[in-house]
Amino acid sequence: MSYELIAILMFSSMMLMLMTGQRVFGAIGFVGVVAALALWGTGGSDIGFSAAMKLMKWYPLLTLPMFIFMGYVLSESKIADDLYKMFHVWMGPVRGGLAIGTILLMVLVSAMNGLSVAGMAIGATIALPELLRRGYDKKMVTGVIQAGSSLGILVPPSVVLVLYAMIARQPVGQLWLAGVFPGLMMAAFFILYVVIRCRLQPELGPVLPAEERNIPRAEKLRLLRSGLLPIFIFAAMMVPFVNGWTSLVESSAIGALTAFLAAVVKKRMTREVFENSVRNTLGISCMFMWIILAALGFGAVFDGLGAVRAISGLFTEQLGLSPWTILILMQLSFIIMGTFLDDTAMLVIVAPLYVPLVHALGFDLVWYGVLYTITTQIAYMTPPFGYNLFLMRAMAPPEIGLKDIYGSILPFVCVMIFALVIVMLFPQIALWLPEYVYSK
Amino acid sequence: MPVFIRRYVHYVDKFNRLLGRFIMYFIFVMAGILLWSSVSKTFFLPSLWTLEMAQFAMVTYYIIGGPYSLQLGSNVRMDLFYGGWSDKTKAWMDAITVLFLIFFLGVLLYGGLSSTAYAIEYGERSYSAWRPYMWPVKVIMCFGLFMMILQSISEFFKDIARIRGTEI
């Protein structure tokens, strides 16, 4: 049997196993070890365990539990309540202002944790009910929260970029810095969209009534102080890192402990919050780690077959496509796959296939990391099986149906694709900051 | 269900729950090691042992915590079709596919045992300035994998019970 055929067989049996609804790590791991045993006999039996050892040696992975813990502390302890109030008071008098405030809130939450789940939880439970009560259009605000929370994986710290770094063998620090400007640019596009939409149709985002806007200046300034907390947490994490005092991993631990202490100082760390954060951190970390473990084993077999070279040869030599056409095709296929595959599975299965290909085509892998993350964001949000869509359904108030959620994301997906194209055309948006910082 | 199966499920679940609830506080152990690492690097001499100790703690955390995460149901499934099935169909499918999971874990453990045997026999050490022995962490990993298999078998029994319309 040719190696290409084995590769295709492995890939399709994995898809089939995933369809059965077994735990993702079990499905991937099973196909990996069976293929290893079939190819190399008993010599293939240690491939699973050596994947576990490889995972242990991969030091930056320690950031994963840290950021997950941080995300849970922030969302469970409701530290973000005050932040929301701040934006509410300051942005209320503007048309569509609360929606803009929500996007800004999401940017701050993204700067404090590396996954989109925390932003989603904060947005859906704190901001969404308020926005609906003020007569904001439910489709628009659902979209705002989904799009805004997806920034969590692009704005540093980002767990997705940590995993990407592992696969692409690129420095995490550069990747994180590369995410800064594209993330802010995308947030600016979202805000622009809301402003334009509300100018054309003022009924979508009414201004706050006069009696609610009548808040004493002292109170307004007091609320502004709550914005210091996320800046403080972000600084505690990033300043020692950028100055080279601590490594990335150590910074993530400092960030996690700072968030924890902030919750304690604010008297929000009740027994229940503590229990939930610690327990869920274990659950989610185990989920990630076991999937990565299984996928590393699977990938080792795949690498052993030389499947990637075969695929890239097929595209460039036999079909004669230009590198840019292949890149665009890859992003498109990625979005399509992302609508069907689970997010983490997609990350660990698809990235090992694409990243070496991108490298072979001569593109910058840090730049591609940003493209990759934006594409993941889009894939999370697109129906019928976007991961964020289901999260939103689970967390949003009952009057928001699946249909509203599906309808809400369309304009934002267009905005995100626009942002993706901009970053593709102007790589300097992503690459300027890391080059500036690291060339010093 | 026969009494011994019920006992098995009861004790395995109870033990793994205790284990998981103990190990979940390792998040603070990891954070503590990393914090000490940054403090010692900034103010004193950098410690040699922190990097690898943090790695060992992380592996312990997710391998020993694995069985509890199975109990909590935190492991994602692709619910494209699964989500739409009745509870009974889900139990049927799980009862079959969990055997694949057990097979995977079995191969992991097999590789782990031979690697551990090697590490003990030859006194394998890590290639670093600190040069820790490798066998303790490998023994911990094998123990975790073994408990993971016991927990998967317990899940299998629970699926069977669900097919028969009872609960354990």
Side-chain angles (χ1 to χ4, degrees), chain B residues 79-97:
Chain B
D79 51 6
L80 178 53
F81 302 116
Y82 190 84
W85 294 337
S86 71
D87 284 350
K88 200 151 193 173
T89 319
K90 278 184 189 166
W92 262 110
M93 199 45 131
D94 271 347
I96 298 165
T97 54

Side-chain angles (χ1 to χ4, degrees), chain A residues 402-420:
Chain A
L402 209 51
K403 227 178 96 193
D404 298 318
I405 298 176
Y406 281 176
S408 69
I409 54 114
L410 187 70
F412 289 96
V413 167
C414 293
V415 171
M416 287 163 94
I417 291 176
F418 179 65
L420 179 68

Side-chain angles (χ1 to χ4, degrees), chain A residues 10 28-29 31-33 35-36 40 46-52 54 290-304, chain B residues 104 108:
Chain A
M10 273 179 75
I28 301 172
V31 178
V33 297
W40 298 302
D46 60 353
I47 210 155
F49 193 74
S50 49
K54 212 193 289 177
W290 281 91
I291 292 181
I292 296 167
L293 164 62
L296 278 178
F298 186 90
V301 181
F302 231 76
D303 274 354
Chain B
F104 166 56
L108 271 181

